[in-house]
Amino acid sequence: MNTTLMWIGNAILLVVVLPVVIALLNRLLIPVIRIRRAAEAILDGGVDLMNQVDPVPALLAETDVAVFGVTNGALRYTVSVTKLLPPKQPAPAPSRNHAKVEV
């Protein structure tokens, strides 16, 4: 009788419990596989982005040189223009006599 109950328990385990466990694992593994694929796609995008950012320091150095050149040109231009303009006349001082206005 003890052996019969053991065989019945094994049959229930194989017929009922094992398919439920497999179904639950399948429901778990499908999202995990999707998450892994999405993570790999994000990693690939990050690597592509880093490859595009690599030349930025050289471009910034080139921009600094251009800004320095423009600054020097603007300074030379303003010095030349100030030489061409007549000297600035001082503004007249306001008078101390304030006439009282009656309303």
Side-chain angles (χ1 to χ4, degrees), residues 46-68:
V47 169
D48 290 341
L49 182 63
M50 287 303 297
N51 290 336
Q52 292 177 1
V53 173
D54 282 340
V56 168
L59 294 173
L60 286 175
E62 185 177 327
T63 302
D64 288 343
V65 170
V67 167
F68 182 73

Side-chain angles (χ1 to χ4, degrees), residues 31-47:
V32 168
I33 291 170
R34 287 182 186 164
I35 291 171
R36 183 176 181 174
R37 287 180 187 160
E40 288 175 357
I42 291 170
L43 179 63
D44 292 340
V47 169

Side-chain angles (χ1 to χ4, degrees), residues 77-93:
Y77 175 75
T78 54
V79 168
S80 299
V81 168
T82 55
K83 289 179 184 178
L84 294 175
L85 293 176
K88 187 175 181 181
Q89 298 291 332

